[in-house]
């Protein structure tokens, strides 16, 4: 295990210096020199364009070493200083695993001026919060986040490391797992500890939900997993809980990052966030045209739901691709999925079948979606949906006046 | 410029109900299932070929898989790939995502001088979306995932990356690896002629001996994760069928919707 500078290849360009998040590499007399505190995070190797740096991080510890890895770590995903709801879900799941193992639960928080979030992480179950706070960490960028987290793994040696299966988690976790050479299980819907071995049993749907698989990482650490949003229960916060904050000093240079986010365009339309929504109202070809989609949107608005769509709706340009549910769209697992004018082709079903409750509104009682619906409503959506909106609004009014 | 597109042959999802698993290894027995090119990889192929048409890039399709994965490569050739390479060897069998990327990285290094690697967002069978980022790490190049727009300008790419609450514009110097989402383009349908030309092309097969990789990185032994149990979840069955006047239906639905919401 170590880091080696291949002096013949080193040109003294200093790219490694800019790349190192911890200021642990210097260029002296045109050659790179690694300092004592090197965490073997690999950022310099990524930055080097001349193959002059080799980081050797052999994965396979002897089984005797596995016991040195302790604790459950959770990646505390935040955007613009706000914790993602899946972070709280991960803390709930992580707390349970940590208690089973009799070990600590830690949250790893990266960002720019995000210190204020730490108490909330503790209130939701973390014993420790590792905090890397730096302007360059304000936006999620793969390289800087992967470098800092590699250092966290090398230094604190967690046994389990969990991430949300979000676009961030699914970008970051595999990069990291590959760097530290360990196993990663994708998109888990259940996590347990195996009684005899203390190993993490990671259960996930694959093949579009047609099968479930339980996966173990027996001989490598940490045992890493991404966890599907909306599945694990959020814990009730306890503001009286005590925890510890541990700063991770970093000195990142934005110039060291190769794939740079140069612009962020927020879609303030919440209805597109179908993966985290508790209710999704989805429309299909039965809507006939883009204007009619208003029917779906008004129901979604009344329920505070996100808006989903089948593929023909997206391919005809009635809704943007980001609303598509299914095999070539998104997989959602809301509490309630309401399918209106959707036949329920297998490519659609794989994206929504694990919803807690499915309501289908369709003219055709024999449509496949009706066979899997908890409530199969036989009717014309253009009549039923507006009636439903009316009914919901009037009940809400009554409810309010009752208070 | 040289573009490598990593593609995977996958079972046709509509046929998946029929598949079986090996009771001992938990691995899936694929024999007999109709196979297709992973739909997301079609978008990756289309993207590569459309840039080739504009800039004269060279496009190479690569897959790791059983001998019959050749069919998926023929489709790539018919879409316009210049070359297709099949990585096939018993030693690759049982690879998890990390082991898959060791093999793919070995092949990409052997091809050499690759500027851009394209992958699909995910494969519709394994569904992990892990191969792209792991491969980029293995090759020590940056990655950009969930890309819905890609612009090549000289040595740089500018991409649009889809995230939950909008999108990001990410710029990067080549070499780099990009994974693409469905919205990026509309894949061409190969013509009869292009298909028959593709069938005549030779597809080299590389095995473990052809790649410079330590043997303990490959296949089952090189995989940190192990599938220990596979089962078919109970399929959902129909609950209540509601019929009647729209206003009646609306009342019943409102009941259902408001109750879970209140607690
Ligand atoms: C490789 C591949 C990938 C695919 N990926 C996806 C994917 O990710 N997502 C996806 O959704 N599809 C996907 N598809 C397409 C899929 O096979 C179906 O074609 C599609 O899901 C059908 O969409 P639909 O249900 O909206 O339309 P249809 O199948 O046309 O169904 C319309 C339904 O609306 C009902 N209806 C009509 N009018 C009314 C009314 N007034 N009131 C009530 N009901 C009414 C009809 O009875 C019918 O059941 C994919 C296909 C392939 C080959
Ligand atoms: C039920 C089940 C569950 C599994 N779960 C996991 C898991 O959680 N973690 C894990 O590490 N492994 C897992 N595996 C193993 C995994 O499916 C294989 O390693 C597979 O070869 C790659 O993963 P994927 O299909 O998820 O591809 P993805 O990572 O989803 O594929 C993304 C892209 O990478 C490229 N690509 C993928 N495979 C190939 C290939 N063979 N050749 C060329 N390009 C390719 C394509 O461009 C594709 O679009 C599982 C296997 C099974 C049977």
């Amino acid at each position: 295990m170590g880091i080696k500078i291949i002096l013949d290849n080193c040109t003294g360009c200093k790219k490694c210096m800019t790349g190192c998040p911890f200021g642990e590499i210097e260029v002296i007399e045109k050659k790179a020199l690694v300092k004592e505190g090197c965490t073997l995070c690999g950022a310099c190797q990524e930055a080097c364009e001349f193959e002059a740096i080799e980081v050797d991080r052999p994965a396979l510890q002897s089984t005797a070493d596995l016991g040195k890895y302790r604790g459950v770590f959770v990646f505390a995903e935040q955007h613009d200083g706000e914790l993602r709801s899946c972070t709280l879900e991960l803390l709930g799941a992580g707390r349970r695993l940590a208690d089973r193992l009799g070990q600590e639960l830690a949250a790893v928080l990266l960002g720019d001026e995000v210190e204020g979030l730490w108490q909330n992480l503790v209130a939701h179950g973390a014993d420790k919060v590792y905090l890397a706070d730096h302007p360059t960490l304000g936006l999620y960028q793969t390289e800087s986040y992967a470098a800092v987290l590699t250092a966290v793994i090398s230094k604190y040696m967690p046994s389990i490391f969990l991430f949300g299966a979000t676009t961030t988690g699914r970008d970051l976790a595999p990069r990291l797992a590959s760097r530290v050479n360990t196993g990663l299980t994708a998109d888990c819907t259940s996590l347990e500890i195996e009684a005899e071995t203390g190993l993490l049993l990671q259960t996930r749907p694959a093949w579009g939900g047609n099968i479930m698989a339980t996966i173990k990482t027996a001989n490598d650490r940490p045992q890493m997993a991404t966890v599907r949003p909306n599945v694990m229960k959020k814990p009730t916060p306890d503001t009286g809980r005590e925890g510890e904050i541990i700063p991770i000093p970093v000195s990142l240079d934005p110039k060291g990052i190769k794939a740079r986010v140069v612009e962020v365009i927020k879609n303030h339309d919440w209805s597109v966030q179908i993966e985290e929504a508790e209710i999704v109202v989805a429309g299909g070809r039965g809507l006939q045209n883009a204007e009619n989609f208003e029917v779906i949107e008004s129901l979604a608005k009344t329920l505070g739901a996100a808006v989903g769509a089948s593929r023909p709706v997206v391919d005809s340009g009635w809704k943007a691709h980001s609303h598509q549910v299914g095999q070539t769209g998104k997989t959602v697992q809301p509490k309630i999925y309401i399918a209106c004018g959707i036949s329920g082709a297998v490519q659609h079903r794989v994206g929504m079948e694990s919803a807690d409750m499915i309501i289908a509104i369709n003219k055709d009682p024999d449509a496949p979606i009706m066979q899997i619906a908890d409530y199969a409503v036989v009717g014309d959506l253009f009549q039923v949906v507006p009636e439903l909106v009316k009914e919901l609004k009037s009940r809400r009014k009554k409810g309010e006046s009752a208070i | 410029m040289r573009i490598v597109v990593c593609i995977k042959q996958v079972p046709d999802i509509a046929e998946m109900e029929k598949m079986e698993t090996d009771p001992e290894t938990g691995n899936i027995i694929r024999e007999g299932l109709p196979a297709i090119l992973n739909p997301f990889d079609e978008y990756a192929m289309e993207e590569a070929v459309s840039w080739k048409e504009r800039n004269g890039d060279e496009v190479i399709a690569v897959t790791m898989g059983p001998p019959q994965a050749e069919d998926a490569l023929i489709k790539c050739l018919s879409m316009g790939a210049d070359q297709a390479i099949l990585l096939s060897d018993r030693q690759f069998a049982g690879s998890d995502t990390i082991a898959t990327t060791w093999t793919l990285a070995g092949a990409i290094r052997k091809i050499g001088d690759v500027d851009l690697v394209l992958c699909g967002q995910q494969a519709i069978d394994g569904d992990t979306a892990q191969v792209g980022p792991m491969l980029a790490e293995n090759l020590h190049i940056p990655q950009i995932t969930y890309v819905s727009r890609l612009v090549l300008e000289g040595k740089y790419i500018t991409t649009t990356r889809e995230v939950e609450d909008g999108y990001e514009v990410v710029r990067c110097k080549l070499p780099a690896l990009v994974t693409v989402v469905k919205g990026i383009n509309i894949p061409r349908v190969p013509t009869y002629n292009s298909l028959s030309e593709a069938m005549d092309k030779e597809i080299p097969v590389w095995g473990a001996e052809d790649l410079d990789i330590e043997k303990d990185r490959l296949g089952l032994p090189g995989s940190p994760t192990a599938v220990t149990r596979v089962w078919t979840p109970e399929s959902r069955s129909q609950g209540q069928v509601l019929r009647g006047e729209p206003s009646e239906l609306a009342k019943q639905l409102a009941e259902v919707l408001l109750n879970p919401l209140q607690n």
Side-chain angles (χ1 to χ4, degrees), chain B residues 4 6 11 13 29 34 97 116-117 121 134 137 148 156 176 191 215 226 235 263:
Chain B
V4 166
C6 296
I13 200 166
I29 305 167
T97 53
L116 179 63
V117 181
Q121 169 196 319
M134 285 179 164
E137 168 62 25
S148 62
Y156 283 85
T191 61
K215 296 292 164 281
S235 47
N263 45 52

Side-chain angles (χ1 to χ4, degrees), chain A residues 283-288 309-313 324-330 340-350 361-364 367-369 379-382, chain B residues 12-13 36 39 42-43 124 182:
Chain A
R285 185 145 47 196
L287 267 299
Q288 292 165 3
S310 68
R311 176 165 164 166
V313 167
Q324 187 181 319
V325 173
Q327 183 187 289
T328 45
K330 290 176 180 165
C340 310
I342 293 177
S343 63
V346 60
Q347 294 92 346
H348 186 80
R349 290 201 318 260
V350 297
I361 304 174
N362 202 305
K363 280 204 289 209
D364 173 9
I369 192 89
D380 183 339
L381 75 93
F382 294 111
Chain B
D12 188 350
I13 200 166
I36 53 170
E42 264 186 65
Y43 299 106
I124 59 161
K182 174 199 162 214

Side-chain angles (χ1 to χ4, degrees), chain A residues 167 171 175 204 207 212 214 216 260 262-263 265 267 315 324 327 353 355 370 373-374 376 378 395, chain B residues 13 125-126 137 141 143 145 161 164-165 167 169 171 182 226 228-229 231 236 238-240 242 255:
Chain A
T167 55
D171 185 82
R175 183 91 197 188
R204 61 172 301 238
W207 301 58
M212 299 296 290
T214 300
K216 277 199 273 198
R260 268 182 232 172
V262 292
E263 204 181 340
I265 293 97
N267 188 343
D315 289 354
Q324 187 181 319
Q327 183 187 289
E353 210 159 358
M370 303 289 262
D374 300 288
V378 186
R395 285 191 190 216
Chain B
I13 200 166
D125 52 353
E137 168 62 25
I141 59 175
Q143 76 201 37
T145 52
R161 176 171 187 264
E164 284 83 356
D165 58 354
Y167 58 92
V169 180
R171 229 172 111 73
K182 174 199 162 214
T228 56
R229 194 177 152 229
W231 71 98
R236 283 186 99 107
Q238 196 175 41
Q240 270 172 275
L242 308 181
E255 240 6 90

